Amino acid sequence: MNLIKKTVLTLSMALSLGASTVALAEDPAARAISHIEQAIAEIVKHDFNAAYIHEKAARGASDEIVGHEEAVKQGLASLIKAQIIGKSADEAKATAELNKAIGFFKTI
């Protein structure tokens, strides 16, 4: 009986992970926003290294956005500024820049 429960649990986790990965893979703007929001959450926890990783992933997702060049350019500039500010561990300024980047990517 335990084997059946473990198998069902494993399959349900695999399906949910697969569905979320497919949903994120479809829209690079949504993926960039998601990574930026995760970076903000890491900054609030004062973990600037993890935030940097999410910012880097958001930059990668922004490279995949087709069209809306001006919004992508401005969002990318805000991401880069946030990464630079994050190296000096200024939580307020980094969060402000990331919020600006989210605003640009939401216009897409």
Side-chain angles (χ1 to χ4, degrees):
M1 189 64 156
N2 283 336
L3 182 62
I4 294 172
K5 286 181 184 179
K6 288 180 183 178
T7 304
V8 170
L9 179 63
T10 304
L11 287 174
S12 66
M13 288 174 50
L15 289 175
S16 66
L17 179 63
S20 65
T21 303
V22 170
L24 288 176
E26 291 177 0
D27 188 15
R31 200 168 24 153
I33 291 169
S34 173
H35 279 295
I36 294 170
E37 289 171 345
Q38 291 171 346
I40 291 172
E42 295 297 336
I43 288 173
V44 169
K45 293 187 245 177
H46 301 289
D47 188 357
F48 289 93
N49 290 329
Y52 183 82
I53 292 169
H54 285 294
E55 291 163 349
K56 190 173 179 180
R59 287 178 65 180
S62 70
D63 290 341
E64 299 173 10
I65 298 173
V66 178
H68 311 285
E69 287 83 15
E70 190 61 32
V72 172
K73 182 178 176 182
Q74 291 173 337
L76 190 58
S78 291
L79 271 173
I80 293 170
K81 286 180 188 176
Q83 284 180 312
I84 293 169
I85 293 169
K87 289 183 180 181
S88 64
D90 189 346
E91 180 180 342
K93 289 181 182 179
T95 303
E97 283 298 324
L98 290 174
N99 283 326
K100 284 188 345 188
I102 287 175
F104 290 124
F105 287 118
K106 282 189 176 180
T107 61
I108 296 174

